[in-house]
Amino acid sequence: MSTRACGRAVDEMRVVTITSNYTRHAEGSVLVEFGHTKVLCTASVVKGVPRFLRGKGQGWVTAEYGMLPRSTHSRMNREAASGKQGGRTMEIQRLIGRSLRAAMDLNKLGEYTIVVDCDVIQADGGTRTAAITGACVALAQALAWMKAKGMITTDPMKTLVAAISVGMVDGQAVSDLEYTEDSAAETDMNVVMTAEGNMIEVQGTAEGAPFTHEQLLAMLALARKSIDELVVHQRKAIASVE
Amino acid sequence: MSTRACGRAVDEMRVVTITSNYTRHAEGSVLVEFGHTKVLCTASVVKGVPRFLRGKGQGWVTAEYGMLPRSTHSRMNREAASGKQGGRTMEIQRLIGRSLRAAMDLNKLGEYTIVVDCDVIQADGGTRTAAITGACVALAQALAWMKAKGMITTDPMKTLVAAISVGMVDGQAVSDLEYTEDSAAETDMNVVMTAEGNMIEVQGTAEGAPFTHEQLLAMLALARKSIDELVVHQRKAIASVE
Amino acid sequence: MSTRACGRAVDEMRVVTITSNYTRHAEGSVLVEFGHTKVLCTASVVKGVPRFLRGKGQGWVTAEYGMLPRSTHSRMNREAASGKQGGRTMEIQRLIGRSLRAAMDLNKLGEYTIVVDCDVIQADGGTRTAAITGACVALAQALAWMKAKGMITTDPMKTLVAAISVGMVDGQAVSDLEYTEDSAAETDMNVVMTAEGNMIEVQGTAEGAPFTHEQLLAMLALARKSIDELVVHQRKAIASVE
Amino acid sequence: MSTRACGRAVDEMRVVTITSNYTRHAEGSVLVEFGHTKVLCTASVVKGVPRFLRGKGQGWVTAEYGMLPRSTHSRMNREAASGKQGGRTMEIQRLIGRSLRAAMDLNKLGEYTIVVDCDVIQADGGTRTAAITGACVALAQALAWMKAKGMITTDPMKTLVAAISVGMVDGQAVSDLEYTEDSAAETDMNVVMTAEGNMIEVQGTAEGAPFTHEQLLAMLALARKSIDELVVHQRKAIASVE
Amino acid sequence: MSTRACGRAVDEMRVVTITSNYTRHAEGSVLVEFGHTKVLCTASVVKGVPRFLRGKGQGWVTAEYGMLPRSTHSRMNREAASGKQGGRTMEIQRLIGRSLRAAMDLNKLGEYTIVVDCDVIQADGGTRTAAITGACVALAQALAWMKAKGMITTDPMKTLVAAISVGMVDGQAVSDLEYTEDSAAETDMNVVMTAEGNMIEVQGTAEGAPFTHEQLLAMLALARKSIDELVVHQRKAIASVE
Amino acid sequence: MSTRACGRAVDEMRVVTITSNYTRHAEGSVLVEFGHTKVLCTASVVKGVPRFLRGKGQGWVTAEYGMLPRSTHSRMNREAASGKQGGRTMEIQRLIGRSLRAAMDLNKLGEYTIVVDCDVIQADGGTRTAAITGACVALAQALAWMKAKGMITTDPMKTLVAAISVGMVDGQAVSDLEYTEDSAAETDMNVVMTAEGNMIEVQGTAEGAPFTHEQLLAMLALARKSIDELVVHQRKAIASVE
């Protein structure tokens, strides 16, 4: 199997670390690292649900995403200062929220909202997929906290979800793109899967040339392999705090 | 082949109409209809390019998307009045812009920006895919207008792009979801392809259960078939004004 | 009677068309055309009233106005993207709302709000007067819908209201200014009247030289004549859907 | 001539006072009082013109309007805190700006902008007409200041403009409505005229019943008389500082 | 004692005037002048308290601060037009609110909110300290109004608060800096004290060189003396309306 | 010396840690910890200066401050989502910026701006003082980076600045308040000093009873002692990366 400029094999992820209880106050708190990409994921349990769900006896899970201004190579403007969240931010936090809800049976949550904040401390490609992977662990920890408090009796989480970015770089399908690869990729694809390998989200974008059916299949196969590895990391992180 | 609640075959699109020159002022103007979904796409040629492209001798294509407040079953708030564009709007207009740029050789455009506005007059599912399909025709007309004016000498459009929404409804893959199907779909997938059947964007989302690899392949096959049909409509609309 | 650059007599309106049921979802929906000016007016019936009217047993009618970005000769910025509605937009939608309320006995409406959205598809002068004229028809249709549903028992509409722009162009008073006339007018005056010819709003603005008492009278006479004609169009459009 | 609840004759204005040099820093500064209505008008001379006028060798006059939160009977929200100017504010400041520009030959101003701020210290009806009347004096003083500095050589002001609110109250036409009359008026009309009695703006609004042609004429006659009186006050105020 | 460029002794305040009942509508209304600095302070009594205090049986006092656009030497942008209050404005209105609350026993106020608006009519240094000094008087008057209406039975005001700006200018400590001194000051310090000379707020900022412990003590001594004088003015203003 | 509820002596700081090079991209990057309070400070070197300094040949230092939504005991709203920075945020970032500039000779910086971002990862009282203390180290590192690149030749930093919060808790002056103390403090005072013990900023606020002159002196003495200790930590952190 040919290697890439970064020295990794095409199906080789960067070093993945999931650190539990990274901060003190949140009900779930995880620092997830995919190589140099570092995202802090905190899960906050809040009484009540959004207006459109009131009185239905079910819960809600939502996500917010942000980047620290100097998480990136050159400084980005702070969204709080510019007065609105950009389109990319909104797109990513909607994706994280949908992915987490796909892992949940919201009827078992009761009228609680869990807000998962994903804040990028350092960016080097793949922040949204690292965020989903870490957010799922933070969510699991918050659910364990709720169970310990007697707020829920059965586990609302049906499965784990994890995510990986794959793409076409220099004509070959590769997994877990770091920043320099991401910038040069012909195609960039984010895949969210369950622990069982079923798909929650597939978002492939041709940045340069369009991609073919065969390339799509090659990228999906890499995604499946990496997500299997990520689920192992997730399980270890969840077990570590029980 | 089994049929659906709406009476169509699983691979059968709604009636598609593309009306050229729908309004007078824009350099390209198209009303695209997928059944009851109606989107007005206008292409405006503007001198100059965004700051990040200045002096590079290339052009830019961007898109904006909006829904009239009562294009929908119940009235939506007007985004201009609430003071910001929602996450869904931003996500869709970014998608339209990327899709159109994938069809273009921006170096052949010169330092012009083409802004394609996609405004939904009436919504019944599939507004973003209708928008992309219509926007590509409006863009082609604006380029023809530029050529007639001597602003460009070669055609910057490399291929046509069109888009379709496919999904899993009641356990079967179907094409061109209308609103009632869209609301009930287990999976909703938007596919943007070139006239040659290569992929520009694939965005699949599990709304209910996750989807399998086989379901993904079934949906993609439907998308390919529908997009081939859409390209025929696009070609006719473009030819009609030459 | 002398003619104008556009070929019309000074008291001659452009071709007026009012198309009912232009879109499917709204309780009232009208496309109104004054020549090339085209405005889509939809009336939406919403349960409840604004806070300041709660518990008073009466209803409310309000209006919103917008222009599609390329309804105009050169593209305007989208107000949703710039984050606020401009002064002209606010001024116009307040005018439409006041005009419609002047036609209504709100005590007969019950605690409902009717929101009339006026969106300019194509602009060629006189968009606000076309909007008022069309909005009144859309409102009448929404009231008919409410009556059919048993939501109201008596008709809250006391009279029809219609509006026309008149002005001083090249020293003579003319009716129904199109864009090129509007830009060159010394005085521009919008007049809203009831079917009986009484005045709801008179807004005259000297763009160049001030206007005299005699000029004001001449413009008002033209307005009266054109509004009489518009009311005939409105009555036909309302009758067509009963 | 019959009198009104407030004790004034129908054509009788409240006590009018125009105090020059009310504050120190502005190039023109006037406190205008129509009875209890008090508006501070300051004119600021700023180098340069808005983008759309650059290089044309002409100047610009614009206005901004605001109300102190407790200028009114019950406290209004501060627009700076709520993050936007309301529709009424925008409408009024556009009216003031247009009225002042109608008095000016902007070609004689050179590339300067004069910003006239009209801030309501205390409101009791007629704030916009008091503002226009005072703003015209502040503008004249700023022009005198420019002339003294040698920034202009000829006077760009062609005439004085003043404004009055008239209306139909209890079936009779009255001039200079105070707050309690304004709230009860069937029709409210703001009239802006030149010193010669020609019209700059006429804005009549039926708040209750529509108004007739005869009522319009009666209100205009009152407006003419009051504006003649206001111009005398303006002339005195301008003379007082020369 | 050495004098300053402005001719005052180092411990000498400008002429202080506090005019009660400056406007008609507010429950408390004061124009406070420190030399050319003029601030209008109005206190508005509003039923109810902010959400975080509901049901606790206590009241609330809050403040808002604004500058008229031409209160300053050169015109500032209007915050309502730019769409947000700047950092300086927010900082000052938070300071005023805290200072006033420190003078109050909010439990004796009942569930009312008193909003004190401080609007700068003319600025010449020390606007925030003049505002606090005047706001305290307006607050006292509003409380007297409440007592007269039977809304409160005991006086919630525990003491008077007043404020002064002191600083290091040309190496010497001086009191009540006017604008030219403020611009040149090495250190600027705002001190808020009770009538008894205890401290509510001390905010010292080195604009040039850091300041020493001895300089701090010298500035505090001046502040104490000036605040003693201000309290005499406050008492007179309060007595004048009883 | 009596101790406090937290077990510390009145003049005893929490454990202080300053970790250099905490993230990779910024020119200076420090994690500063005062006990459980953790703030990430990054310094970014940007070419150019704000408009008001252009062409003066000097540089600029500014700061921005933010809190991660779940840095606090209960989740705060994300300022980027609510569309504006609150008053507290603005006040703090203005304080940080002023404090850092007081340490600098901006003429030696050249036309560069250094933006220091202070983002609170975990809050337990004293975030603004920790931020200033850490920001000064990040700034020093960025200056060392600039010197290594030849962008500056002499060191623009004149001295170190550090900050501490002191206060009156249960009637005694204490240093370095943690959250539970801060909530209960009668007086809260933030002090910024140079390494030499001169004052940059003193901001004391009576939250409950006013504070006396003696209490102010006691708090200042504690501040001096703690800041001396902080400067030792700063020097070690700066030395560690040279």
Side-chain angles (χ1 to χ4, degrees):
Chain A
M1 193 172 277
S2 96
T3 58
R4 346 178 196 169
C6 61
R8 289 189 273 138
V10 293
D11 64 347
E12 186 185 348
M13 289 198 66
R14 291 173 285 181
V15 173
V16 171
T17 316
I18 302 179
T19 308
S20 293
N21 295 335
Y22 189 73
T23 57
R24 297 169 63 85
H25 302 313
E27 286 73 46
S29 171
V30 156
L31 183 76
V32 59
E33 299 172 73
F34 283 19
H36 294 312
T37 289
K38 301 183 187 197
V39 185
L40 175 55
C41 307
T42 59
S44 300
V45 177
V46 182
K47 189 110 196 64
V49 287
R51 183 181 302 271
F52 69 93
L53 286 179
R54 278 188 205 152
K56 302 202 174 166
Q58 70 160 90
W60 188 244
V61 174
T62 186
E64 294 193 5
Y65 171 93
M67 300 186 88
L68 294 191
R70 198 53 198 279
S71 59
T72 44
H73 284 78
S74 56
R75 187 176 181 275
M76 298 186 343
N77 286 331
R78 187 178 289 268
E79 288 187 327
S82 54
K84 63 174 177 180
Q85 296 180 299
R88 179 184 171 276
T89 294
M90 293 230 230
E91 199 169 306
I92 292 175
Q93 66 193 12
R94 283 159 55 91
L95 169 65
I96 300 171
R98 281 198 310 271
S99 298
L100 295 176
R101 286 191 295 274
M104 294 282 291
D105 179 345
L106 294 170
N107 291 310
K108 293 188 181 161
L109 184 54
E111 291 216 335
Y112 289 98
T113 297
I114 303 182
V115 184
V116 185
D117 287 287
C118 299
D119 284 277
V120 179
I121 304 295
Q122 190 169 276
D124 189 34
T127 63
R128 82 188 70 185
T129 52
I132 291 168
T133 305
C136 182
V137 176
L139 177 58
Q141 293 175 353
L143 293 171
W145 179 90
M146 290 178 79
K147 206 165 172 190
K149 294 268 180 194
M151 295 158 88
I152 50 175
T153 50
T154 53
D155 189 355
M157 192 174 267
K158 298 181 295 188
T159 181
L160 293 174
V161 295
I164 193 71
S165 98
V166 290
M168 299 302 304
V169 179
D170 296 331
Q172 69 184 350
V174 297
S175 183
D176 190 23
L177 281 63
E178 52 191 85
Y179 177 74
T180 49
E181 292 178 317
D182 193 36
S183 317
E186 295 101 47
T187 295
D188 178 22
M189 187 157 81
N190 294 297
V191 181
V192 186
M193 284 184 179
T194 63
E196 296 75 30
N198 290 323
M199 283 173 268
I200 300 290
E201 288 268 348
V202 174
Q203 296 194 338
T205 299
E207 306 283 354
F211 53 100
T212 64
H213 194 73
E214 291 66 38
Q215 289 173 332
L216 176 69
L217 296 182
M219 290 186 285
L220 283 175
L222 288 178
R224 174 70 197 263
K225 178 168 182 298
S226 293
I227 285 173
D228 283 348
E229 293 173 25
L230 287 170
V231 171
V232 174
H233 286 285
Q234 289 179 314
R235 290 207 166 113
K236 244 185 271 179
I238 292 170
S240 75
V241 292
E242 284 176 341
Chain B
M1 192 172 276
S2 96
T3 57
R4 345 179 196 170
C6 62
R8 288 188 276 139
V10 295
D11 64 347
E12 186 185 348
M13 290 197 65
R14 290 173 286 180
V15 175
V16 172
T17 316
I18 302 178
T19 308
S20 294
N21 295 334
Y22 188 73
T23 57
R24 297 169 63 86
H25 303 314
E27 286 73 47
S29 171
V30 155
L31 182 77
V32 58
E33 299 171 74
F34 283 18
H36 294 311
T37 290
K38 303 184 186 198
V39 185
L40 174 56
C41 306
T42 58
S44 300
V45 177
V46 182
K47 189 112 196 61
V49 288
R51 182 181 303 269
F52 69 94
L53 286 179
R54 278 185 205 154
K56 301 202 173 166
Q58 69 161 92
W60 189 243
V61 174
T62 186
E64 294 193 4
Y65 171 92
M67 298 185 89
L68 294 191
R70 197 54 198 277
S71 59
T72 44
H73 285 76
S74 55
R75 188 177 181 273
M76 298 186 345
N77 286 331
R78 188 177 289 267
E79 289 187 326
S82 54
K84 64 174 176 179
Q85 295 180 301
R88 178 183 171 276
T89 294
M90 293 231 230
E91 199 170 307
I92 291 175
Q93 65 192 15
R94 284 159 55 90
L95 169 65
I96 301 171
R98 282 198 310 272
S99 298
L100 295 177
R101 286 190 295 276
M104 294 282 291
D105 180 346
L106 294 169
N107 291 309
K108 294 188 181 161
L109 183 55
E111 292 215 335
Y112 288 98
T113 297
I114 303 182
V115 184
V116 184
D117 287 286
C118 300
D119 285 277
V120 178
I121 303 294
Q122 189 168 276
D124 189 35
T127 63
R128 82 187 70 186
T129 51
I132 291 168
T133 305
C136 182
V137 175
L139 177 59
Q141 293 174 354
L143 293 171
W145 178 90
M146 290 178 79
K147 206 164 174 191
K149 294 268 180 194
M151 296 158 87
I152 51 174
T153 49
T154 54
D155 188 354
M157 193 174 267
K158 298 182 294 187
T159 180
L160 293 174
V161 296
I164 193 73
S165 98
V166 290
M168 298 301 305
V169 179
D170 296 330
Q172 69 185 351
V174 297
S175 184
D176 190 23
L177 281 63
E178 52 190 88
Y179 177 73
T180 49
E181 292 178 316
D182 194 35
S183 317
E186 295 100 48
T187 296
D188 177 24
M189 188 157 80
N190 294 296
V191 181
V192 186
M193 285 184 179
T194 63
E196 296 75 30
N198 290 323
M199 284 173 267
I200 299 290
E201 288 268 348
V202 174
Q203 296 194 338
T205 299
E207 306 283 355
F211 54 100
T212 63
H213 195 73
E214 292 66 39
Q215 290 172 332
L216 176 69
L217 297 182
M219 290 185 285
L220 283 175
L222 288 179
R224 175 71 197 265
K225 178 167 182 298
S226 293
I227 286 173
D228 283 349
E229 292 173 25
L230 287 171
V231 171
V232 174
H233 286 286
Q234 290 178 313
R235 290 204 167 115
K236 243 185 271 179
I238 293 171
S240 75
V241 293
E242 282 175 343
Chain C
M1 192 172 278
S2 96
T3 56
R4 346 179 197 170
C6 61
R8 288 190 274 140
V10 293
D11 65 348
E12 185 184 351
M13 291 198 65
R14 292 173 285 180
V15 175
V16 172
T17 317
I18 302 179
T19 308
S20 294
N21 295 334
Y22 190 73
T23 58
R24 296 171 63 86
H25 302 315
E27 285 73 47
S29 171
V30 155
L31 183 76
V32 58
E33 298 172 75
F34 283 18
H36 294 313
T37 289
K38 301 184 187 196
V39 184
L40 175 55
C41 306
T42 58
S44 300
V45 177
V46 181
K47 189 112 197 60
V49 287
R51 182 181 303 272
F52 69 93
L53 286 179
R54 276 184 208 154
K56 302 202 173 165
Q58 70 161 91
W60 189 243
V61 174
T62 186
E64 294 193 3
Y65 171 92
M67 299 185 89
L68 294 191
R70 196 55 197 279
S71 59
T72 42
H73 285 78
S74 56
R75 187 177 182 274
M76 298 186 343
N77 285 331
R78 187 177 289 267
E79 289 187 326
S82 54
K84 62 174 175 179
Q85 295 179 300
R88 179 184 170 276
T89 294
M90 292 229 232
E91 199 170 305
I92 292 175
Q93 65 193 13
R94 284 159 54 91
L95 169 64
I96 301 172
R98 280 198 310 272
S99 298
L100 295 177
R101 286 192 296 276
M104 295 283 290
D105 180 345
L106 294 169
N107 291 309
K108 294 189 181 161
L109 183 55
E111 291 216 334
Y112 289 97
T113 297
I114 303 182
V115 184
V116 184
D117 287 286
C118 300
D119 285 277
V120 179
I121 304 294
Q122 190 168 277
D124 189 34
T127 63
R128 83 188 68 186
T129 51
I132 291 168
T133 304
C136 182
V137 176
L139 178 58
Q141 293 175 354
L143 293 171
W145 179 89
M146 289 179 80
K147 204 164 174 192
K149 293 270 179 193
M151 296 158 88
I152 51 175
T153 48
T154 52
D155 189 355
M157 192 173 266
K158 298 182 293 188
T159 181
L160 293 174
V161 296
I164 193 71
S165 98
V166 289
M168 297 303 302
V169 179
D170 296 331
Q172 69 185 350
V174 296
S175 184
D176 190 25
L177 282 62
E178 51 190 89
Y179 177 74
T180 48
E181 292 178 316
D182 194 35
S183 318
E186 294 101 48
T187 296
D188 177 23
M189 187 158 81
N190 294 296
V191 181
V192 186
M193 285 184 180
T194 62
E196 296 74 29
N198 290 323
M199 285 174 266
I200 300 290
E201 289 266 348
V202 173
Q203 296 194 338
T205 300
E207 306 283 354
F211 53 100
T212 63
H213 195 73
E214 292 65 39
Q215 290 172 332
L216 176 69
L217 296 183
M219 290 186 285
L220 282 175
L222 288 179
R224 174 72 197 263
K225 177 167 184 297
S226 293
I227 285 174
D228 283 347
E229 292 172 26
L230 288 170
V231 171
V232 174
H233 286 286
Q234 289 178 315
R235 291 208 167 113
K236 242 186 271 179
I238 292 171
S240 75
V241 293
E242 283 175 340
Chain D
M1 193 172 274
S2 95
T3 57
R4 346 179 195 168
C6 62
R8 289 189 274 140
V10 295
D11 65 347
E12 185 184 351
M13 288 197 66
R14 292 174 284 181
V15 175
V16 173
T17 316
I18 302 179
T19 309
S20 294
N21 295 335
Y22 189 73
T23 57
R24 296 170 63 86
H25 302 314
E27 284 75 44
S29 171
V30 156
L31 182 76
V32 59
E33 299 172 73
F34 282 19
H36 294 311
T37 290
K38 301 184 187 196
V39 184
L40 174 56
C41 307
T42 59
S44 300
V45 177
V46 181
K47 188 114 197 59
V49 287
R51 182 182 303 272
F52 69 94
L53 286 180
R54 280 189 203 149
K56 302 201 174 166
Q58 69 160 93
W60 187 242
V61 174
T62 185
E64 294 194 3
Y65 172 91
M67 298 185 90
L68 293 191
R70 196 56 196 279
S71 59
T72 44
H73 284 78
S74 56
R75 187 176 182 275
M76 298 186 344
N77 285 331
R78 189 178 287 269
E79 289 186 326
S82 54
K84 62 175 177 180
Q85 295 179 300
R88 179 183 169 277
T89 295
M90 292 230 231
E91 200 169 306
I92 292 175
Q93 66 192 13
R94 284 158 56 91
L95 168 66
I96 301 170
R98 280 198 312 271
S99 298
L100 295 176
R101 286 191 296 275
M104 294 282 290
D105 179 345
L106 295 170
N107 290 310
K108 294 188 181 161
L109 184 55
E111 292 214 334
Y112 289 98
T113 296
I114 302 182
V115 184
V116 184
D117 287 287
C118 299
D119 285 277
V120 179
I121 304 294
Q122 189 169 278
D124 189 34
T127 63
R128 82 188 69 187
T129 51
I132 290 168
T133 305
C136 182
V137 176
L139 177 59
Q141 293 175 352
L143 293 170
W145 179 91
M146 290 179 79
K147 205 163 174 192
K149 293 270 179 193
M151 296 158 88
I152 51 176
T153 49
T154 54
D155 189 355
M157 192 173 268
K158 297 181 294 186
T159 181
L160 293 174
V161 295
I164 193 70
S165 97
V166 289
M168 297 303 302
V169 179
D170 295 331
Q172 68 185 351
V174 297
S175 183
D176 190 24
L177 281 61
E178 52 190 87
Y179 177 74
T180 47
E181 292 178 316
D182 193 36
S183 316
E186 295 101 48
T187 295
D188 178 23
M189 188 157 81
N190 294 296
V191 181
V192 187
M193 284 184 179
T194 63
E196 296 75 29
N198 290 324
M199 285 173 265
I200 300 290
E201 289 267 347
V202 174
Q203 296 194 339
T205 299
E207 305 283 354
F211 53 102
T212 63
H213 194 72
E214 291 65 38
Q215 290 173 331
L216 177 69
L217 296 182
M219 291 186 284
L220 283 175
L222 288 179
R224 175 71 197 264
K225 177 166 183 299
S226 293
I227 286 173
D228 283 348
E229 292 172 27
L230 288 170
V231 171
V232 174
H233 286 285
Q234 290 178 315
R235 290 207 167 113
K236 244 186 272 179
I238 292 171
S240 73
V241 294
E242 282 175 344
Chain E
M1 192 172 275
S2 97
T3 57
R4 348 178 194 169
C6 62
R8 289 188 275 139
V10 294
D11 65 348
E12 186 185 350
M13 290 198 65
R14 292 174 284 181
V15 174
V16 172
T17 316
I18 303 180
T19 308
S20 294
N21 295 335
Y22 189 72
T23 56
R24 297 170 63 86
H25 302 315
E27 285 74 45
S29 170
V30 155
L31 182 77
V32 60
E33 299 172 73
F34 282 18
H36 294 312
T37 290
K38 303 185 186 196
V39 185
L40 174 57
C41 306
T42 59
S44 300
V45 177
V46 182
K47 188 115 197 59
V49 287
R51 182 180 304 271
F52 69 94
L53 286 179
R54 280 187 204 152
K56 301 200 174 166
Q58 70 160 92
W60 189 242
V61 173
T62 186
E64 295 193 3
Y65 171 92
M67 299 185 89
L68 294 192
R70 196 56 196 279
S71 59
T72 44
H73 284 77
S74 55
R75 188 177 182 273
M76 299 186 342
N77 286 330
R78 188 178 289 268
E79 289 187 326
S82 55
K84 63 175 176 179
Q85 294 179 302
R88 179 184 170 276
T89 294
M90 292 229 229
E91 201 169 305
I92 291 175
Q93 66 192 14
R94 284 159 55 90
L95 169 65
I96 301 170
R98 280 198 312 271
S99 298
L100 295 177
R101 286 191 296 274
M104 294 281 291
D105 180 345
L106 294 170
N107 291 309
K108 294 190 181 159
L109 184 55
E111 292 215 333
Y112 289 97
T113 296
I114 302 182
V115 184
V116 184
D117 288 286
C118 299
D119 285 277
V120 179
I121 304 293
Q122 191 168 276
D124 189 33
T127 63
R128 82 187 71 184
T129 51
I132 291 168
T133 305
C136 182
V137 176
L139 178 58
Q141 293 175 353
L143 293 171
W145 180 89
M146 290 178 79
K147 205 164 173 192
K149 294 266 179 195
M151 296 158 89
I152 52 175
T153 50
T154 54
D155 188 355
M157 191 173 267
K158 299 182 294 188
T159 181
L160 293 174
V161 297
I164 193 71
S165 98
V166 289
M168 297 302 304
V169 179
D170 295 331
Q172 68 184 351
V174 297
S175 184
D176 190 23
L177 282 62
E178 52 189 88
Y179 177 73
T180 49
E181 292 178 317
D182 193 36
S183 317
E186 295 100 48
T187 296
D188 178 24
M189 189 158 79
N190 294 297
V191 181
V192 187
M193 284 184 179
T194 63
E196 296 75 29
N198 290 322
M199 283 173 268
I200 301 288
E201 289 268 347
V202 174
Q203 297 194 337
T205 300
E207 306 283 354
F211 54 100
T212 64
H213 194 73
E214 292 65 37
Q215 290 173 331
L216 176 69
L217 296 182
M219 290 186 284
L220 283 174
L222 288 178
R224 175 71 197 264
K225 178 167 183 298
S226 293
I227 285 173
D228 283 348
E229 293 173 25
L230 287 170
V231 171
V232 174
H233 286 285
Q234 290 179 314
R235 290 209 166 113
K236 242 184 274 179
I238 292 171
S240 74
V241 293
E242 281 173 345
Chain F
M1 193 172 275
S2 98
T3 57
R4 348 179 194 169
C6 62
R8 289 188 275 140
V10 295
D11 66 346
E12 186 184 350
M13 289 198 65
R14 291 174 283 180
V15 175
V16 172
T17 316
I18 302 178
T19 307
S20 294
N21 295 335
Y22 189 73
T23 56
R24 298 169 64 86
H25 302 314
E27 285 75 45
S29 170
V30 156
L31 183 77
V32 59
E33 299 172 72
F34 283 17
H36 294 312
T37 289
K38 302 184 185 196
V39 185
L40 174 56
C41 306
T42 59
S44 300
V45 178
V46 181
K47 190 113 195 61
V49 288
R51 183 181 303 271
F52 69 94
L53 286 179
R54 279 187 204 151
K56 302 203 173 165
Q58 70 161 91
W60 188 243
V61 174
T62 186
E64 294 193 4
Y65 172 92
M67 300 186 89
L68 294 191
R70 197 54 198 278
S71 59
T72 44
H73 284 78
S74 56
R75 187 177 183 274
M76 297 187 343
N77 286 330
R78 187 178 289 268
E79 289 187 327
S82 53
K84 64 174 176 180
Q85 294 180 300
R88 180 184 170 276
T89 294
M90 294 229 230
E91 199 170 307
I92 292 175
Q93 65 193 13
R94 283 159 55 91
L95 170 64
I96 301 171
R98 281 198 310 271
S99 298
L100 296 176
R101 286 191 297 273
M104 295 281 291
D105 180 346
L106 294 169
N107 291 309
K108 294 188 181 161
L109 184 55
E111 292 215 334
Y112 288 98
T113 296
I114 303 183
V115 184
V116 184
D117 288 286
C118 299
D119 285 277
V120 179
I121 305 293
Q122 191 168 276
D124 189 34
T127 62
R128 82 188 71 185
T129 52
I132 291 168
T133 305
C136 182
V137 176
L139 177 58
Q141 293 175 352
L143 293 171
W145 179 90
M146 289 178 81
K147 204 164 174 193
K149 294 268 179 193
M151 295 158 89
I152 51 176
T153 50
T154 54
D155 188 356
M157 192 173 267
K158 299 181 294 187
T159 182
L160 293 174
V161 296
I164 193 70
S165 97
V166 290
M168 298 303 302
V169 179
D170 295 331
Q172 70 184 349
V174 297
S175 183
D176 191 22
L177 282 62
E178 51 189 89
Y179 177 74
T180 49
E181 292 178 316
D182 194 36
S183 318
E186 295 100 48
T187 296
D188 177 24
M189 187 158 80
N190 294 296
V191 181
V192 186
M193 284 183 178
T194 63
E196 295 76 28
N198 290 323
M199 284 173 267
I200 300 290
E201 289 267 349
V202 174
Q203 297 194 337
T205 300
E207 307 281 356
F211 54 101
T212 64
H213 194 73
E214 293 65 39
Q215 290 173 332
L216 176 69
L217 296 182
M219 291 186 284
L220 283 175
L222 288 179
R224 175 71 198 264
K225 178 167 182 296
S226 293
I227 285 173
D228 283 348
E229 293 172 25
L230 287 170
V231 170
V232 175
H233 286 285
Q234 290 179 313
R235 291 209 166 110
K236 243 185 273 178
I238 292 170
S240 74
V241 293
E242 283 175 342

